[in-house]
Amino acid sequence: QGRGIEVFSELSKIKAHLTGKAGQEYLVQNYLERPLLFRGRKFDIRCWAVVTDNWDVYVYEQGYLRTSSETYTLELGDKGDD
C-alpha cells in the first residue's frame, strides 16, 4: 500500500536499517536496470524467503515465473491508454 517505503542502494544500508527491528515484517525487492530478457520479454522469478535476526535465510521451495505480454523496449511510446 506504499506506506513506509524505504529505498537503499547498498546491502550494508539495508542491514543497518533492519538491525534491532526483530519481529517486524519486510518486503525486499531489487530493481534490475538492465534486465535479462526471454525471447525479447522481461520476466519475473518470484521466490519467498525468511531471514532471521541472525541472518539465517530460509527459502520456500515453490515459486513462480511470469513473462510480460509485450517485448521490452526503453522507448516511451503511446500506449493508447487515454
Side-chain angles (χ1 to χ4, degrees), residues 6-56:
E6 299 281 345
V7 178
F8 299 99
S9 59
E10 298 174 18
L11 180 59
S12 61
K13 292 180 181 180
I14 295 171
K15 287 182 177 182
H17 178 74
L18 298 178
T19 299
K21 296 183 180 181
Q24 296 184 20
E25 297 176 358
Y26 292 91
L27 173 67
V28 179
Q29 292 181 275
N30 182 34
Y31 178 77
L32 301 176
E33 295 176 359
R34 294 181 304 152
L36 294 173
L37 302 176
F38 176 72
R39 296 185 178 175
R41 301 173 193 274
K42 285 177 63 173
F43 64 94
D44 289 339
I45 299 174
R46 300 283 175 116
C47 63
W48 292 266
V50 173
V51 182
T52 68
D53 296 339
N54 296 324
W55 298 101
D56 295 320

